[in-house]
mmCIF file of all heavy atoms in Angstrom:
data_model
loop_
_atom_site.group_PDB
_atom_site.id
_atom_site.type_symbol
_atom_site.label_atom_id
_atom_site.label_comp_id
_atom_site.label_asym_id
_atom_site.label_seq_id
_atom_site.Cartn_x
_atom_site.Cartn_y
_atom_site.Cartn_z
ATOM 1 N N LYS A 1 70.023 -1.823 63.316
ATOM 2 C CA LYS A 1 69.091 -1.389 62.237
ATOM 3 C C LYS A 1 69.801 -0.688 61.034
ATOM 4 O O LYS A 1 70.668 0.187 61.199
ATOM 5 C CB LYS A 1 68.127 -0.418 62.830
ATOM 6 C CG LYS A 1 66.747 -0.385 62.123
ATOM 7 C CD LYS A 1 65.724 0.457 62.960
ATOM 8 C CE LYS A 1 65.430 -0.151 64.230
ATOM 9 N NZ LYS A 1 64.417 0.717 64.984
ATOM 10 N N GLY A 2 69.522 -1.193 59.852
ATOM 11 C CA GLY A 2 70.217 -0.607 58.653
ATOM 12 C C GLY A 2 71.445 -1.338 58.281
ATOM 13 O O GLY A 2 71.855 -1.133 57.201
ATOM 14 N N ARG A 3 71.934 -2.137 59.254
ATOM 15 C CA ARG A 3 73.224 -2.904 58.967
ATOM 16 C C ARG A 3 73.028 -4.399 58.833
ATOM 17 O O ARG A 3 73.751 -5.157 58.042
ATOM 18 C CB ARG A 3 74.184 -2.538 59.870
ATOM 19 C CG ARG A 3 74.627 -1.137 60.108
ATOM 20 C CD ARG A 3 75.916 -0.955 61.056
ATOM 21 N NE ARG A 3 75.523 -1.360 62.405
ATOM 22 C CZ ARG A 3 76.248 -2.230 63.082
ATOM 23 N NH1 ARG A 3 77.254 -2.784 62.437
ATOM 24 N NH2 ARG A 3 76.028 -2.624 64.251
ATOM 25 N N PHE A 4 72.206 -4.914 59.684
ATOM 26 C CA PHE A 4 71.875 -6.301 59.765
ATOM 27 C C PHE A 4 70.497 -6.672 59.096
ATOM 28 O O PHE A 4 69.538 -5.901 59.208
ATOM 29 C CB PHE A 4 71.726 -6.817 61.213
ATOM 30 C CG PHE A 4 73.170 -6.799 61.900
ATOM 31 C CD1 PHE A 4 74.264 -6.227 61.509
ATOM 32 C CD2 PHE A 4 73.277 -7.429 63.176
ATOM 33 C CE1 PHE A 4 75.451 -6.145 61.996
ATOM 34 C CE2 PHE A 4 74.377 -7.490 63.901
ATOM 35 C CZ PHE A 4 75.471 -6.839 63.300
ATOM 36 N N THR A 5 70.422 -7.857 58.511
ATOM 37 C CA THR A 5 69.192 -8.315 57.912
ATOM 38 C C THR A 5 68.863 -9.731 58.206
ATOM 39 O O THR A 5 69.811 -10.641 58.230
ATOM 40 C CB THR A 5 69.252 -8.133 56.407
ATOM 41 O OG1 THR A 5 69.539 -6.846 56.005
ATOM 42 C CG2 THR A 5 67.968 -8.646 55.758
ATOM 43 N N ILE A 6 67.651 -10.001 58.758
ATOM 44 C CA ILE A 6 67.230 -11.395 59.195
ATOM 45 C C ILE A 6 66.382 -11.811 57.975
ATOM 46 O O ILE A 6 65.560 -11.191 57.532
ATOM 47 C CB ILE A 6 66.460 -11.260 60.500
ATOM 48 C CG1 ILE A 6 67.281 -11.032 61.634
ATOM 49 C CG2 ILE A 6 65.805 -12.676 60.650
ATOM 50 C CD1 ILE A 6 66.548 -10.820 62.860
ATOM 51 N N SER A 7 66.623 -13.112 57.776
ATOM 52 C CA SER A 7 65.749 -13.860 56.695
ATOM 53 C C SER A 7 65.685 -15.337 57.159
ATOM 54 O O SER A 7 66.332 -15.825 58.098
ATOM 55 C CB SER A 7 66.356 -13.760 55.372
ATOM 56 O OG SER A 7 67.693 -14.379 55.225
ATOM 57 N N ARG A 8 64.659 -15.946 56.570
ATOM 58 C CA ARG A 8 64.523 -17.444 56.794
ATOM 59 C C ARG A 8 64.167 -18.157 55.532
ATOM 60 O O ARG A 8 63.549 -17.576 54.506
ATOM 61 C CB ARG A 8 63.468 -17.580 57.823
ATOM 62 C CG ARG A 8 62.051 -17.101 57.473
ATOM 63 C CD ARG A 8 61.129 -16.979 58.583
ATOM 64 N NE ARG A 8 60.763 -18.277 59.180
ATOM 65 C CZ ARG A 8 60.366 -18.449 60.437
ATOM 66 N NH1 ARG A 8 60.043 -17.456 61.166
ATOM 67 N NH2 ARG A 8 59.988 -19.754 60.772
ATOM 68 N N ASP A 9 64.443 -19.456 55.611
ATOM 69 C CA ASP A 9 64.100 -20.358 54.608
ATOM 70 C C ASP A 9 63.306 -21.583 55.219
ATOM 71 O O ASP A 9 63.998 -22.459 55.636
ATOM 72 C CB ASP A 9 65.236 -20.813 53.743
ATOM 73 C CG ASP A 9 64.914 -21.637 52.556
ATOM 74 O OD1 ASP A 9 63.772 -22.250 52.556
ATOM 75 O OD2 ASP A 9 65.532 -21.659 51.587
ATOM 76 N N ASN A 10 62.065 -21.482 55.257
ATOM 77 C CA ASN A 10 61.315 -22.497 55.979
ATOM 78 C C ASN A 10 61.478 -23.866 55.348
ATOM 79 O O ASN A 10 61.420 -24.940 56.005
ATOM 80 C CB ASN A 10 59.863 -22.192 56.168
ATOM 81 C CG ASN A 10 59.570 -21.039 56.981
ATOM 82 O OD1 ASN A 10 60.414 -20.680 57.864
ATOM 83 N ND2 ASN A 10 58.430 -20.402 56.836
ATOM 84 N N ALA A 11 61.621 -23.978 54.024
ATOM 85 C CA ALA A 11 61.886 -25.322 53.377
ATOM 86 C C ALA A 11 63.190 -25.877 53.822
ATOM 87 O O ALA A 11 63.273 -27.147 53.833
ATOM 88 C CB ALA A 11 61.962 -24.970 51.775
ATOM 89 N N LYS A 12 64.128 -25.058 54.097
ATOM 90 C CA LYS A 12 65.480 -25.544 54.576
ATOM 91 C C LYS A 12 65.574 -25.583 56.137
ATOM 92 O O LYS A 12 66.545 -26.006 56.713
ATOM 93 C CB LYS A 12 66.540 -24.842 53.962
ATOM 94 C CG LYS A 12 66.721 -24.899 52.469
ATOM 95 C CD LYS A 12 67.959 -24.107 51.994
ATOM 96 C CE LYS A 12 68.075 -24.306 50.563
ATOM 97 N NZ LYS A 12 69.242 -23.456 49.950
ATOM 98 N N ASN A 13 64.615 -25.157 56.758
ATOM 99 C CA ASN A 13 64.542 -25.102 58.287
ATOM 100 C C ASN A 13 65.649 -24.281 58.729
ATOM 101 O O ASN A 13 66.382 -24.717 59.658
ATOM 102 C CB ASN A 13 64.471 -26.545 58.967
ATOM 103 C CG ASN A 13 63.179 -26.876 59.474
ATOM 104 O OD1 ASN A 13 62.103 -26.304 59.027
ATOM 105 N ND2 ASN A 13 63.226 -27.814 60.327
ATOM 106 N N THR A 14 65.959 -23.184 58.032
ATOM 107 C CA THR A 14 67.119 -22.412 58.476
ATOM 108 C C THR A 14 66.756 -20.883 58.599
ATOM 109 O O THR A 14 65.907 -20.401 57.823
ATOM 110 C CB THR A 14 68.169 -22.607 57.414
ATOM 111 O OG1 THR A 14 68.576 -23.889 57.210
ATOM 112 C CG2 THR A 14 69.513 -21.911 57.828
ATOM 113 N N LEU A 15 67.455 -20.281 59.502
ATOM 114 C CA LEU A 15 67.404 -18.870 59.859
ATOM 115 C C LEU A 15 68.685 -18.197 59.539
ATOM 116 O O LEU A 15 69.780 -18.827 59.771
ATOM 117 C CB LEU A 15 67.013 -18.596 61.232
ATOM 118 C CG LEU A 15 67.100 -17.187 61.808
ATOM 119 C CD1 LEU A 15 65.897 -16.414 61.186
ATOM 120 C CD2 LEU A 15 67.064 -17.188 63.421
ATOM 121 N N TYR A 16 68.718 -16.974 59.007
ATOM 122 C CA TYR A 16 69.996 -16.417 58.685
ATOM 123 C C TYR A 16 70.030 -14.977 59.375
ATOM 124 O O TYR A 16 69.052 -14.413 59.652
ATOM 125 C CB TYR A 16 70.132 -16.159 57.101
ATOM 126 C CG TYR A 16 69.949 -17.469 56.399
ATOM 127 C CD1 TYR A 16 68.792 -17.741 55.731
ATOM 128 C CD2 TYR A 16 71.037 -18.294 56.276
ATOM 129 C CE1 TYR A 16 68.676 -19.018 55.078
ATOM 130 C CE2 TYR A 16 70.902 -19.463 55.533
ATOM 131 C CZ TYR A 16 69.785 -19.784 54.987
ATOM 132 O OH TYR A 16 69.653 -20.898 54.185
ATOM 133 N N LEU A 17 71.186 -14.538 59.535
ATOM 134 C CA LEU A 17 71.486 -13.170 59.943
ATOM 135 C C LEU A 17 72.696 -12.702 59.045
ATOM 136 O O LEU A 17 73.810 -13.109 59.226
ATOM 137 C CB LEU A 17 71.893 -13.114 61.351
ATOM 138 C CG LEU A 17 72.123 -11.726 61.804
ATOM 139 C CD1 LEU A 17 70.867 -10.811 61.834
ATOM 140 C CD2 LEU A 17 72.673 -11.728 63.345
ATOM 141 N N GLN A 18 72.342 -11.744 58.130
ATOM 142 C CA GLN A 18 73.333 -10.980 57.367
ATOM 143 C C GLN A 18 73.806 -9.875 58.007
ATOM 144 O O GLN A 18 72.949 -8.995 58.271
ATOM 145 C CB GLN A 18 72.772 -10.780 55.861
ATOM 146 C CG GLN A 18 73.737 -9.986 55.066
ATOM 147 C CD GLN A 18 74.961 -10.846 54.675
ATOM 148 O OE1 GLN A 18 74.765 -12.086 54.273
ATOM 149 N NE2 GLN A 18 76.148 -10.308 54.674
ATOM 150 N N MET A 19 75.174 -9.803 58.351
ATOM 151 C CA MET A 19 75.615 -8.640 59.020
ATOM 152 C C MET A 19 76.553 -7.859 58.223
ATOM 153 O O MET A 19 77.595 -8.504 57.739
ATOM 154 C CB MET A 19 76.391 -9.132 60.404
ATOM 155 C CG MET A 19 75.433 -9.943 61.139
ATOM 156 S SD MET A 19 76.127 -10.597 62.809
ATOM 157 C CE MET A 19 77.596 -11.653 62.077
ATOM 158 N N ASN A 20 76.383 -6.670 57.826
ATOM 159 C CA ASN A 20 77.167 -5.739 57.107
ATOM 160 C C ASN A 20 77.784 -4.600 57.868
ATOM 161 O O ASN A 20 77.216 -4.307 58.968
ATOM 162 C CB ASN A 20 76.374 -5.208 55.906
ATOM 163 C CG ASN A 20 75.967 -6.374 54.991
ATOM 164 O OD1 ASN A 20 76.509 -7.372 54.817
ATOM 165 N ND2 ASN A 20 74.782 -6.074 54.304
ATOM 166 N N SER A 21 78.795 -3.993 57.344
ATOM 167 C CA SER A 21 79.405 -2.848 57.933
ATOM 168 C C SER A 21 79.707 -3.184 59.514
ATOM 169 O O SER A 21 79.206 -2.332 60.407
ATOM 170 C CB SER A 21 78.374 -1.644 58.009
ATOM 171 O OG SER A 21 78.078 -1.298 56.443
ATOM 172 N N LEU A 22 80.244 -4.131 59.720
ATOM 173 C CA LEU A 22 80.441 -4.583 61.134
ATOM 174 C C LEU A 22 81.461 -3.698 61.819
ATOM 175 O O LEU A 22 82.340 -3.124 61.254
ATOM 176 C CB LEU A 22 81.040 -6.083 61.047
ATOM 177 C CG LEU A 22 79.944 -7.148 60.926
ATOM 178 C CD1 LEU A 22 80.576 -8.474 60.431
ATOM 179 C CD2 LEU A 22 79.166 -7.356 62.114
ATOM 180 N N LYS A 23 81.254 -3.605 63.161
ATOM 181 C CA LYS A 23 81.959 -2.722 63.984
ATOM 182 C C LYS A 23 82.544 -3.555 65.232
ATOM 183 O O LYS A 23 81.958 -4.616 65.585
ATOM 184 C CB LYS A 23 81.012 -1.576 64.622
ATOM 185 C CG LYS A 23 80.259 -0.779 63.592
ATOM 186 C CD LYS A 23 79.361 0.265 64.241
ATOM 187 C CE LYS A 23 78.519 1.016 63.168
ATOM 188 N NZ LYS A 23 77.520 1.916 63.937
ATOM 189 N N PRO A 24 83.723 -3.047 65.694
ATOM 190 C CA PRO A 24 84.095 -3.820 66.860
ATOM 191 C C PRO A 24 83.151 -3.984 68.032
ATOM 192 O O PRO A 24 83.206 -5.124 68.640
ATOM 193 C CB PRO A 24 85.227 -2.906 67.428
ATOM 194 C CG PRO A 24 85.655 -2.147 66.070
ATOM 195 C CD PRO A 24 84.459 -1.942 65.416
ATOM 196 N N GLU A 25 82.179 -3.180 68.187
ATOM 197 C CA GLU A 25 81.184 -3.280 69.260
ATOM 198 C C GLU A 25 80.155 -4.355 68.833
ATOM 199 O O GLU A 25 79.317 -4.658 69.691
ATOM 200 C CB GLU A 25 80.494 -1.933 69.556
ATOM 201 C CG GLU A 25 79.947 -1.292 68.365
ATOM 202 C CD GLU A 25 80.857 -0.106 67.801
ATOM 203 O OE1 GLU A 25 82.155 -0.477 67.754
ATOM 204 O OE2 GLU A 25 80.604 1.028 67.339
ATOM 205 N N ASP A 26 80.069 -4.920 67.710
ATOM 206 C CA ASP A 26 79.370 -5.982 67.387
ATOM 207 C C ASP A 26 79.957 -7.312 67.801
ATOM 208 O O ASP A 26 79.275 -8.403 67.655
ATOM 209 C CB ASP A 26 79.151 -6.071 65.733
ATOM 210 C CG ASP A 26 78.388 -5.037 65.243
ATOM 211 O OD1 ASP A 26 77.393 -4.598 65.846
ATOM 212 O OD2 ASP A 26 78.794 -4.462 64.221
#
């Protein structure tokens, strides 16, 4: 929470996961 963002583009039939401030435990 606060680091990752989920989004989707239904026209492109695609889901995304933007991951920021990544840590080794990710």
Side-chain angles (χ1 to χ4, degrees):
K1 205 173 293 183
R3 299 188 299 123
F4 290 12
T5 302
I6 293 178
S7 61
R8 62 191 295 164
D9 187 333
N10 287 342
K12 295 183 178 179
N13 255 25
T14 304
L15 170 71
Y16 303 100
L17 179 66
Q18 178 66 44
M19 304 184 293
N20 298 329
S21 302
L22 283 161
K23 305 174 182 180
E25 50 264 44
D26 294 318

